[in-house]
């Protein structure tokens, strides 16, 4: 069993910054990556960013490149998402997830944290 606990969401004005955190505990072995997804009202869940468990490789959706940075503290099993130059279209519930090494599926999810960007 894996537990993911997110924090750091909130309300910010356009152009501002927020940092999301996600701490993983429990059976975190056999994981290949940690990542962030988001879902805006009425829209599908979408990938935001990911980082391999060793922290060497990152991946971003095009619309956040240059504004968001994902990082990982291996000792704490915590992943961060630094979000700068936020836009109204970044408003969504953000979810942390773990990817299975065996299946390569994102199969463990946090409860989500709300990010609201006012324009």
């Amino acid at each position: 069993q894996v537990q993911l606990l997110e924090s750091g969401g909130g309300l910010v004005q356009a152009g501002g910054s927020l940092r999301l955190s996600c701490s993983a505990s429990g059976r975190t072995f056999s994981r290949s990556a940690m990542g962030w997804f988001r879902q805006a009202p009425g829209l599908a869940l979408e990938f935001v960013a990911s980082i391999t468990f060793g922290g060497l490789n990152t991946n971003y959706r095009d619309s956040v490149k240059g504004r968001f940075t994902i990082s990982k503290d291996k000792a704490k099993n915590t992943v961060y998402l630094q979000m700068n130059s936020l836009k109204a279209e970044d408003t969504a519930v953000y979810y942390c997830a773990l990817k299975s090494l065996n299946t390569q599926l994102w199969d463990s999810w946090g409860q989500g944290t709300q990010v609201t960007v006012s324009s």
Side-chain angles (χ1 to χ4, degrees):
Q1 198 78 341
V2 175
Q3 295 81 40
L4 297 173
L5 183 62
E6 300 127 328
S7 62
L11 173 64
V12 64
Q13 288 188 331
S17 298
L18 282 175
R19 189 176 83 151
L20 305 183
S21 300
C22 173
S23 296
S25 60
R27 297 167 66 87
T28 59
F29 52 88
S30 297
R31 300 294 176 170
S32 63
M34 296 184 75
W36 290 95
F37 290 74
R38 67 187 182 187
Q39 187 168 29
L43 299 180
L45 186 70
E46 63 183 24
F47 169 81
V48 176
S50 66
I51 186 166
T52 52
F53 231 64
L56 294 179
N57 296 303
T58 59
N59 194 24
Y60 298 91
R61 72 178 298 105
D62 287 346
S63 63
V64 307
K65 285 179 181 177
R67 300 188 298 122
F68 290 11
T69 302
I70 190 169
S71 61
K72 188 176 184 291
D73 183 327
K74 287 190 287 184
K76 296 181 180 178
N77 243 0
T78 298
V79 65
Y80 304 97
L81 186 67
Q82 178 66 44
M83 305 185 294
N84 299 328
S85 302
L86 282 161
K87 305 176 181 180
E89 51 264 43
D90 295 317
T91 295
V93 178
Y94 283 69
Y95 297 92
C96 175
L98 288 177
K99 179 184 277 191
S100 167
L101 182 63
N102 296 326
T103 66
Q104 291 299 297
L105 296 176
W106 296 96
D107 61 0
S108 294
W109 296 84
Q111 81 287 352
T113 185
Q114 176 71 46
V115 171
T116 303
V117 185
S118 62
S119 55

